[in-house]
Amino acid sequence: MRSDQIKKGFERAPHRSLLRAAGLKDEDFDKPFVGIANSHVDIIPGHFYLQEYGRVAKEEIRKAGGVPFEFNTIGVDDGIAMGHEGMLYSLPSRELIADSVETMMNAHMLDALVCIPNCDKIVPGMVMGALRVDVPTVFVSGGPMKAGHLSDGTAIDLNTAFEAVGKRARGQMTDAELYEIECKACPSGGSCSGMFTANSMNVLCEAMGIALPGNGTVLALTPEREALVRRAARRAVEIAGDERFRMRRIVNADSIHNAMVVDMAMGGSSNTVLHMLAIAREAGVPFDLRHIEEIATKVAHIAKIAPSLSTVHMEDIHRAGGVPAVLKEAARRGGVVREGALTVTGETVGERLRGAAIRDREVIHTN
């Protein structure tokens, strides 16, 4: 194991002494050391509860025979940072996050990694850092929030709140109407409920095969999401030290292609272009705007989601079959989806899609 560099041999007695001070025992030095990169921060609605998911991941890693080591990254909420000089810090935060993941994993020679991101630049930052480390890695996001609803039942989201500000400025909305939207647009923890940057990147992690099915669409703060965290943590122990599942073996030209197929099919955030180009660079994959344009000419927009369509949110996509259903429908046009791409579960993309089906054709359309 990679971690043998800090825990094996008489020369490493001082290292083991420090690890014992952190709670390790004799039997732990024969187990894989698994890092947990947790982006828990209190100010971001998709992150304030991630400390609990970190605890769940540690519990499952111990049960599965690994030794967990959790560390944290920073996070910037683009929505809160917007409209003032705070926005200057958003994109640079991606690099700080990548650097922190690389630093913690390589300084301590850990064997595998679980990444728990959710919002904005945090997801691509962790992907970039994990690519630099290049150990078996499983991503599991905090999950999307529920859509909000007005008192008349109309579905709303964060985009509704931004649009309401413009209406209020033009005198087309009262203060009371704006206040109701403010209070109801973001009803719970999670990444904002439409295909903004957070959910787009979490969906793309699933399409790339570095996350388990459901990563992009299972709602936050639900038993189903907690179960996903547990499965991801167990899988990280199972693949620790397995060369087949090193991050750069999973994230390659085929998986990046598949990510952009899903991006086009679901109408992802334009920020995905910015982030996927950076991810491809870290992965050593030649990939530019011409590749994206080529994919765009072959993939139909089959799942329109907020903010493009205000009535459809991530929970609706999950109910309709999720990312596997979208990919399977896109694959009906031969050669569009690269089905031989390996995923962290050990399946190929094609194998993962076999049981997928569209369960609501008003949400996920046919080609």
Side-chain angles (χ1 to χ4, degrees):
M1 288 183 280
R2 194 171 94 126
S3 59
D4 287 351
Q5 296 175 74
I6 65 167
K7 66 187 183 185
K8 293 293 185 180
F10 74 90
E11 304 95 336
R12 297 305 186 224
H15 302 63
R16 290 193 296 273
S17 184
L18 289 166
L19 290 166
R20 290 177 192 278
L24 270 65
K25 296 179 170 51
D26 284 348
E27 59 269 23
D28 293 324
F29 296 111
D30 291 320
K31 299 175 181 177
F33 284 7
V34 181
I36 302 171
N38 194 332
S39 54
H40 162 257
V41 292
D42 284 340
I43 200 167
I44 305 178
H47 291 247
F48 71 86
Y49 55 90
L50 295 186
Q51 197 169 45
E52 175 60 18
Y53 284 170
R55 185 197 65 76
V56 166
K58 285 191 286 188
E59 180 181 288
E60 287 300 317
I61 288 168
R62 290 190 190 99
K63 285 181 184 177
V67 181
F69 294 98
E70 185 177 16
F71 59 91
N72 287 89
T73 71
I74 64 166
V76 171
D77 187 304
D78 279 8
I80 298 172
M82 195 175 293
H84 55 89
E85 67 179 18
M87 203 66 212
L88 298 173
Y89 296 89
S90 179
L91 186 54
S93 74
R94 186 186 74 181
E95 312 310 310
L96 292 173
I97 292 160
D99 289 347
S100 66
V101 171
E102 177 188 7
T103 298
M104 288 298 294
M105 289 295 295
N106 283 346
H108 304 104
M109 287 294 161
L110 305 183
D111 299 304
L113 176 62
V114 176
C115 286
I116 309 178
N118 211 19
C119 297
D120 301 316
K121 309 302 182 287
I122 298 138
V123 184
M126 285 194 180
V127 175
M128 291 164 65
L131 281 165
R132 295 175 194 172
V133 176
D134 196 25
V135 298
T137 303
V138 183
F139 274 71
V140 57
S141 78
M145 70 169 63
K146 299 175 182 177
H149 289 87
L150 295 176
S151 54
D152 64 2
T154 301
I156 61 173
D157 51 58
L158 182 63
N159 195 59
T160 314
F162 278 112
E163 290 179 344
V165 170
K167 291 179 180 178
R168 173 62 185 82
R170 293 193 302 270
Q172 298 174 352
M173 179 174 286
T174 66
D175 286 338
E177 290 170 327
L178 178 60
Y179 181 70
E180 183 185 12
I181 291 171
E182 173 189 333
C183 293
K184 294 179 178 178
C186 299
S188 65
S191 48
C192 298
S193 54
M195 277 294 277
F196 306 103
T197 304
N199 289 327
S200 296
M201 289 306 304
N202 287 327
V203 161
L204 266 56
C205 283
E206 189 175 334
M208 281 190 285
I210 58 176
L212 306 185
N215 179 69
T217 57
V218 173
L219 284 177
L221 298 168
T222 60
E224 192 178 2
R225 175 58 62 170
E226 181 178 323
L228 191 67
V229 174
R230 292 186 183 278
R231 290 200 301 275
R234 291 196 298 270
R235 185 59 182 162
V237 177
E238 292 169 359
I239 63 177
D242 191 329
E243 292 286 311
R244 293 173 301 166
F245 297 102
R246 283 169 52 180
M247 187 69 172
R248 285 172 175 260
R249 298 276 178 90
I250 303 293
V251 180
N252 53 32
D254 288 344
S255 61
I256 289 171
H257 172 92
N258 288 341
M260 294 311 300
V261 167
V262 167
D263 193 39
M264 297 301 167
M266 296 179 69
S269 163
S270 56
N271 278 336
T272 57
V273 174
L274 180 76
H275 298 317
M276 289 307 299
L277 291 175
I279 287 167
R281 183 185 177 94
E282 292 288 356
V285 173
F287 189 75
D288 58 26
L289 293 175
R290 285 168 296 190
H291 292 95
I292 296 173
E293 177 63 19
E294 183 181 352
I295 293 168
T297 62
K298 298 177 180 177
V299 179
H301 187 184
I302 58 174
K304 201 169 186 179
I305 307 157
S308 296
L309 185 62
S310 63
T311 56
V312 178
H313 295 86
M314 297 311 294
E315 60 204 90
D316 301 308
I317 294 294
H318 185 64
R319 175 179 52 79
V323 175
V326 172
L327 260 177
K328 187 170 185 177
E329 183 60 28
R332 288 179 60 197
R333 296 187 65 178
V336 171
V337 175
R338 297 182 180 176
E339 298 187 35
L342 183 66
T343 73
V344 289
T345 60
E347 309 166 288
T348 64
V349 167
E351 289 167 341
R352 183 179 281 192
L353 300 185
R354 282 178 188 166
I358 299 175
R359 295 193 289 267
D360 186 340
R361 293 184 183 275
E362 293 300 312
V363 174
I364 301 174
H365 298 265
T366 55
N367 272 309

